[in-house]
Structure formats: structure tokens, C-alpha cells
Amino acid sequence: MKTQSADTEYKKTACILCSINCGLEVKVGGKDGRELLKIKGDKAHVSSEGYLCNKAARLNHYQMGADRLNSPMRRRPDGTYEAIDWETAIREVAVGLQSIKNEHGGDKIYFIGGGGQGNHLGALYSTALTRTLGVRYQTNALAQEKTGEFWVAGKMFGGGGPHGDFHNTEVAVFVGKNPWQAHGFPQTRKVLNDIAKDPARSMIVLDPALTDSARMADFHLRVKPGTDAWCLSAMIATIVQENLTDVAFIAAHTRGFEAIRPHFESLDISDYAGFCDVDEELIRSASRRIAQAESVAVFEDLGTQQNVHSTLVSYLQRILWIITGNFAKKGGQNIPVPLLSVTEGAKQGASSAKPGEKPNKVSPVLGSRIIAGLLPCNEVPDEILTDHPDRFRAAIIQSSNPAHAYADSPRMREALSALEFSVVIDVAMTETAKLADYVLPAASQFEKHECTFFPVEFPRNHFHLRHPIVDPLPGTLPESEIHTRLVEALGGISQTHVSVLRGALKLGRRPFALVFTALAAKNPQVMKAAPALLYRTLGPTLCDGKRAEAAPFWALCHQFARKKAQYAKSAGFEGSAWKIGEAMFETLISATSGFIYTDISDYADSWNRVGYSDKRILLHVEELFPQVQNLDKTPLQNPAGFPFVLAAGNRRATTANTIVRDGSWDSKGLASSLFLNPDDALDLGLANGDTARITTATGSATTFVEINDIQRKGTVALPNGLGIDYRRESGETVQIGIPPNELTASSSRDFFAGTPWHKYVPAQIEKV
């Protein structure tokens, strides 16, 4: 066995610990030549430009995790697992899935996941498998966080959601977000420092915790947990009552303001300020700063999206910056041009059901609203643990760990165990994999081609197809190969079609495109299995097969060139739609530091992506505004015996993404502490380092406390990314920290989108 690779040059890739995916240069070598020895920022990267935060240093703990799988695993009757070869695994998994489809229908097979941060190429290939099987329902992590926001944006703008231009904004507003740790836009910490140092710019933070970002803010509205909606309502009321609205913008570009204005005109700002426990003058001052600024950019995140009234907050924060005219302008909110959108389904918000009516697309058992194609994560057990004829019978789970990551883990485990058939595709034997019938080992994100579909920059936007920088762990396959083999085993790809297309390719890509289109017109299955079919035909011709996984992007680049040629041309791609598509694709597969595919010169271009024919923004949302009016009638009250509010899973400098299962990065053992306010510690008789028991309606756990000024009195917080079972090389299994979802309840969720209240969990704390 090799101990040191001769090839120790720096190779380009990207970080996979948050959605920004900063460009990296990595020196590889070490054990089997697969270790990430040194990591630095890629200065040539078109978005991050060499920027990097501290978390990327932990990536080798992911890459070289001792619990990685190197063989397909089959569950024995006694619950243990045995290694099997790939041919057997693919055949038996295909038979298991086909059996469920034949007996109950493909819609009884549920798809969960699709990739972690920056791990999304497999999601393209999974569509070939799910469409071949007739799978109709799916969910992933976005349904724990973003679906309410997606729906609101779709309803108000009739299409894709706007994002803030924080690099150029005069006033940055963060609602339930700590960008210093959670990031959210390129070069985040540099941008925050720039804003903090500029006397002409301001930062406003709505957050119960005194986070790193809140310490930098000019205005910290330290709301009582779960009361963001009252605070935002008071801010809107201040602007309306003090005549600070952008009257011309509202008249020219919105609909429905007259229907919502009376509520905010009559709202008692003092009463709402008292309810959210923020000084009234501070609310008014922050509101005036927003109204008087040349530009305002707003970012909401998990602190409110996994909290009480999350969908209402998504609605209210948009009203705030719309009535002050902060759309389609430099430093404001703008709608980007995606190469491939993960939120396309949010457009259904523009035509959703009226209050009291059943939504157009709902879950099979509970009839719950499906947003952006995603069923609420919290409701997975209720869609399985029932005798309803339409219950889910099987699951395909890819790069997702619902047994650990979704609310009420015990009930989620019960539901997954109750399935008649399940298969997990992942790099390790996760908590979810331990419940599956089959586990198929995937190559790591640094051993295959990967990408992210999340870049939402404006006016310049980029895409980065990452190349493998180390050889795959023997026994693993990329998701592209796994899904394609399963599609082939299910008969989803005709070998006749493969032969015909390969023959057409010998004449060139244009004849190939014509033949592919003709086949698709005659046989719908061709389009259903398109990613896998492109992989088997076009793929082997891309750099002698080295870029085969990128094959579906050929079709996506041509689709972009046909429908959005003006945006490709803005980035320098010229010629006919065909030439643009070819040039984009060749650039995409060769640009190791990413490439710019759109560079818009006019911010007003955002209006072209407002989906309504009159290009006006909808301010009166019938499904939500009655709830806004009734806020003063819905006071928050913890159940008896649970006086504290737990934020289950906050971002800290000492935590990592849950894909990093090896907890040895926490060398000082500090990551798993329970944050506690000094006054609460005094009342409870707790000192730094003492052990405390935290109890909720769902479960109980113990850990040590860290007393600091970060938490408000009456609130506590546990970190994200911990509580994972990790098997060391010695065979010993350890668990560092508390699994937060042993303490959360699946029944505590948003009334509209079903997103969980992970940041508002009633709790009891006691000294052990």
C-alpha cells in the first residue's frame, strides 16, 4: 500500500460546508494519495476570488472518515449487514423497487434527499431513476427551511425569488441569520467588515442571540424568540404611519397596498414592541434607517425559517423592503438568472388555492401543501405509519440522513423501519443507512465531478463544475453510475437507442441532437431517462470519458442558449443559439475555477423575471394576510414545566456540517456545549463546565454548559452538526454532542409550509 502520493500539486475544487462553495486549491497525497493535506482559497475562482473561512480546514475529516463504505451492503434478517458485489446489489435493488411499483404503484416510492451542500450532480441523475419508476413525491433539507420563503416569493413575484446585493447595499438587514458563521453570499466576512467600517452604511440584525453578526450591527433588535413577525409588523407600521413609504414605487410597481395599509396604519407600535421585547425607539430608528437609505438588502435564514410564524416572516420582510422601493436596483433585491433553478416549482405560488380551498398539489395521506415539489419533512412519518391505502411503501434516500436530521428522530426511525423496502446511497453507514435494506456506497465529493445549483448572484452569476482531485475509494461509485445502472436494470434505457445515438455522435453533436430530439418525440421514456441516456452516449466522448458525468449539462447549456441567449451574450458568448450552447458547455467542463454565464449591465432587468403579466409585485397575499392581522390574538405560551426556549442547532465557529462525521476536529471538546445566560445559570446553580440535563416533550439529554452573554435570559442553544454515531478505525463507536432532533417534535411546525420549529423548542433545564 502506498503511504505517500508522488502527485502533491495543488488541485482546484470547492468547499462543501455551506451553499456558497468557495473555490479551493488542495494539495493531495498521504494515505493512498487520497488525503487533503493542505487547503487554501482559489484566487482564480470567479466568485470567491481566494476568500475562505476557517471551516474548510476540516474537510479531510470528511474525505478520510473511517466509517466510509467501500462495498454495497445488504441487510440480513437479524438486522446485521453483509457486503455484496455491485452486480448483485443493482439487480436486487431494482427487483425490490420494481416489486413495489408493480404491487402498489410507483407513487408509493418516496425519494428523500438529492445531495448535501455542493453535492447536487447526483440529483440530476436521480430524476432518471424516479421518472422511470413513476415516483411522484420527494423531500429534502430545503423543506426543513426554505419552502415557506419559496412560496411567498413565488406568490408575490410570480416566479423566482429576489436576493440581496450585499456587496453594494447601503443597509444590510439580517432576519434570524448570523452570516459571519452561516455565510449566504460570496466573500461574506469581507463584506460584513466593509459594511461595519463604512460610516455611510449600516447593518440591522433581528435575532434573540447576540451573535457574531449582531455584535457588528448598528441596530440589534434582540427579539424575544418566536416574535420576529411582531417586530417586522412594527417596522412596517412605523414606515407607514410616519409617511416614509416610496409612494411612487408602490403606485407604479405593486398591487394590493391599499388592502394592507389600514392594518399597519392602525397598528399599535408600542404594544407590538412590548410583545417582542424590543425598545420601541430602536424599532423606529431602524425602520427610519431603512426608509431613508438609497438601497436595502435583506436576508432571512434558519433562525426564523425554523421558528414560529416562519412563512409570515418571509411575507412581512418582503413587504418591508418593497414599500421602501428596494427592488431592481443596485444594492437592493434582484432576481438572478439561474442556469438550473432548484426553486422553479415555487411558481405554483402564483396560482395557488384560495383560503379554505385544498392546494393544487398535496401529500397523499395528510393532504398537506407541496411547495417547490417538496413534501414537508416533518410529515414523513405520518405519510408512512398509517393504514391509508396511499401511504408510502418504499424509499430511495440519497445523500440524506433523515433519521438524524429531521424532527423527532425516534418517530422518524420508526417510520423508516416500517417501510417494505428502502435503499440508501451515501458515503458512510449513516443513522439512516442502518435502517435500510440496501446501502450503496458513493464516491466522496472530491472523488467525482460535482457542482451546486445555488449561486444566486446578480448582476454577474457563475457556475462551477468541480473535477475529481483524488481517485475514488475502491468499491465506491459516483451517483451518476449508480442511478444509470439502476435505470438500465429497470429497462428504462433501450440499448437500441444507445446504439443509434452513439452512431449519430460519430457524425457530430448536431446530428446527435436531432436524433435525440426525434427519439424523445416518439418515446416519452427517452426524456424521462435523459440524464442517464446522455451519460451512456455523450458521456464517453467527453475528454475520453473523464468528464462523462457532465453530459446532462450539454442539454442544459443548449436549453439556456435557446431560452436566455441575451444573458449568455452578456457574459461574452456570441453567435447562434447552437454556437452559444456549445461554447457554454465547453467552458463549463473545462473551467476549473468556474465561469461567468451571465453579466447583466442593467439592474432594472430584474423586472423581466417578475412572472405577472402586468409586472407588478403582489402585496396583499390572501392566504397569509389574515394571519398577519391576527398576530395580536396569538400570544406565545410555553407548556407548563418547560420555561426555557431551546434553539436546537445553531451555527458556531466550533461546529461543522453534518457530513463531517469524524468529530476529532473538536480537539478541545468545546463544540457540544449548551449556551446559557448568566442570570439563568445563577438561578439554576450552574457554573461553566457543569453538566446539565435538557428535557423537552420529545426527549432528554445531558451535556456541559457554557455560560455567556450570547443567549437571552430564558433561552438556551445547542450546536448543529453533532450527535452523530462515528465508528473509528479501532472499531469503537463514539457520539460527540447531542443529536438535536432527539429533542424536537414533528408536530411543532409552520401552519402553512410545515417547516419545523427547531429554533423554538420548549424545554426544562436542570443541574445534574
Side-chain angles (χ1 to χ4, degrees), residues 37 48 85 88 109 112 156 214 222 247-248 255 295 319 377 381 420 501 507 518 730 759:
L37 301 177
S48 57
D85 62 80
T88 301
I109 303 172
I112 302 176
M156 297 182 79
R222 200 171 188 181
V247 176
R255 282 182 287 124
S295 61
I319 293 175
C377 295
E420 295 171 32
L501 288 168
L507 303 175
S730 63
K759 303 301 186 288

Side-chain angles (χ1 to χ4, degrees), residues 156-327:
M156 297 182 79
F157 291 85
H163 295 267
D165 178 14
F166 293 95
H167 289 72
N168 297 301
T169 195
E170 181 180 330
V171 176
V173 183
F174 300 112
V175 183
K177 181 172 184 63
N178 178 14
W180 188 265
Q181 298 298 350
H183 306 287
F185 46 90
Q187 305 175 39
T188 306
R189 293 179 181 178
K190 177 181 180 299
V191 173
L192 294 177
N193 280 325
D194 288 345
I195 295 173
K197 292 175 183 177
D198 190 341
R201 305 173 74 184
S202 296
M203 192 186 307
I204 299 172
V205 171
L206 278 74
D207 201 311
L210 185 59
T211 64
D212 308 84
S213 304
R215 294 182 193 277
M216 303 175 72
D218 301 275
F219 304 86
H220 179 198
L221 308 184
R222 200 171 188 181
V223 294
K224 185 167 63 176
T227 63
D228 304 74
W230 280 267
C231 187
L232 287 165
S233 294
M235 295 175 77
I236 295 168
T238 298
I239 290 168
V240 170
Q241 292 176 21
E242 296 187 7
N243 298 315
L244 298 174
T245 59
D246 188 328
V247 176
F249 182 92
I250 292 171
H253 297 299
T254 72
R255 282 182 287 124
F257 182 62
E258 293 307 315
I260 69 172
R261 180 166 62 180
H263 169 69
F264 294 109
E265 284 179 331
S266 62
L267 188 149
D268 188 329
I269 297 172
S270 178
D271 185 47
Y272 273 53
F275 193 84
C276 65
D277 196 24
V278 179
D279 179 73
E280 179 184 348
E281 187 52 39
L282 180 60
I283 290 176
R284 289 183 179 273
S285 297
S287 306
R288 293 169 190 145
R289 183 68 181 96
I290 289 171
Q292 294 162 1
E294 286 295 319
S295 61
V296 178
V298 182
F299 204 134
E300 65 170 85
D301 212 346
L302 274 60
T304 186
Q305 289 172 343
Q306 294 186 339
N307 212 323
V308 181
H309 298 305
S310 58
T311 304
L312 290 190
V313 170
S314 294
Y315 176 38
L316 289 165
Q317 63 97 341
R318 283 169 174 78
I319 293 175
L320 179 66
W321 55 260
I322 291 168
I323 65 173
T324 51
N326 284 289
F327 177 68

Side-chain angles (χ1 to χ4, degrees), residues 629-647:
Q629 293 174 299
N630 289 328
L631 275 174
D632 59 337
K633 302 171 186 176
T634 55
L636 301 173
Q637 213 167 24
N638 281 18
F642 298 99
F644 287 87
V645 173
L646 163 69

Side-chain angles (χ1 to χ4, degrees), residues 700-751:
S700 182
T702 59
T703 188
F704 63 94
V705 301
E706 180 178 337
I707 301 169
N708 55 47
D709 64 348
I710 296 174
Q711 298 304 123
R712 279 180 54 113
K713 182 173 172 53
T715 68
V716 294
L718 286 170
N720 70 313
L722 298 176
I724 292 171
D725 290 333
Y726 177 67
R727 180 179 51 78
R728 293 173 171 163
E729 289 189 23
S730 63
E732 175 192 11
T733 298
V734 296
Q735 185 185 93
I736 297 176
I738 295 173
N741 286 309
E742 299 291 328
L743 303 173
T744 59
S746 58
S747 58
S748 298
R749 55 197 184 217
D750 183 66
F751 84 99

Side-chain angles (χ1 to χ4, degrees), residues 17-73:
L17 296 180
C18 87
S19 63
I20 301 305
N21 302 115
C22 297
L24 301 180
E25 287 192 301
V26 180
K27 182 174 284 189
V28 301
K31 184 179 179 181
D32 297 325
R34 296 178 42 256
E35 290 193 63
L36 313 183
L37 301 177
K38 292 185 179 180
I39 298 172
K40 62 182 181 180
D42 178 9
K43 294 181 180 179
H45 193 270
V46 293
S47 177
S48 57
E49 299 177 348
Y51 171 89
L52 200 63
C53 81
N54 59 301
K55 296 187 181 183
R58 300 172 187 148
L59 286 171
N60 197 49
H61 292 282
Y62 157 78
Q63 170 62 19
M64 301 302 292
D67 61 349
R68 285 196 59 190
L69 292 168
N70 60 6
S71 171
M73 305 297 287

Side-chain angles (χ1 to χ4, degrees), residues 161-165 327-336 456 458 603-604 606:
H163 295 267
D165 178 14
F327 177 68
K329 65 191 295 186
K330 186 175 183 178
Q333 311 287 134
N334 294 278
I335 301 178
V456 287
F458 191 96
Y603 280 83
S606 280

